CSV table of all heavy atoms in Angstrom, one decimal:
chain,number,residue,atom,x,y,z
Q,39,SER,N,-14.2,-60.5,-41.9
Q,39,SER,CA,-13.6,-61.1,-43.0
Q,39,SER,C,-14.5,-61.2,-44.2
Q,39,SER,O,-15.7,-60.9,-44.1
Q,39,SER,CB,-13.1,-62.5,-42.7
Q,39,SER,OG,-14.3,-63.3,-42.4
Q,209,TRP,N,14.8,-28.7,9.9
Q,209,TRP,CA,13.8,-29.4,10.7
Q,209,TRP,C,12.9,-30.3,10.1
Q,209,TRP,O,11.9,-30.8,10.7
Q,209,TRP,CB,13.0,-28.3,11.6
Q,209,TRP,CG,13.8,-27.4,12.3
Q,209,TRP,CD1,14.2,-26.0,12.1
Q,209,TRP,CD2,14.5,-27.7,13.6
Q,209,TRP,NE1,15.0,-25.6,13.0
Q,209,TRP,CE2,15.2,-26.4,13.9
Q,209,TRP,CE3,14.6,-28.8,14.4
Q,209,TRP,CZ2,16.1,-26.4,15.0
Q,209,TRP,CZ3,15.4,-28.8,15.5
Q,209,TRP,CH2,16.1,-27.4,15.9
Q,216,LEU,N,5.5,-33.5,2.7
Q,216,LEU,CA,5.8,-32.1,2.9
Q,216,LEU,C,4.5,-31.2,3.1
Q,216,LEU,O,4.0,-30.5,2.2
Q,216,LEU,CB,6.6,-31.5,1.7
Q,216,LEU,CG,7.9,-32.0,1.6
Q,216,LEU,CD1,8.6,-31.4,0.3
Q,216,LEU,CD2,8.9,-31.6,2.7
Q,243,GLU,N,-22.7,-50.1,-12.3
Q,243,GLU,CA,-23.7,-49.7,-13.4
Q,243,GLU,C,-23.1,-49.7,-14.7
Q,243,GLU,O,-23.7,-50.1,-15.8
Q,243,GLU,CB,-24.4,-48.4,-12.9
Q,243,GLU,CG,-25.3,-48.5,-11.6
Q,243,GLU,CD,-25.8,-47.1,-11.4
Q,243,GLU,OE1,-25.4,-46.2,-12.0
Q,243,GLU,OE2,-26.7,-47.0,-10.3
Side-chain angles (χ1 to χ4, degrees):
S39 68
W209 302 105
L216 296 175
E243 292 176 354

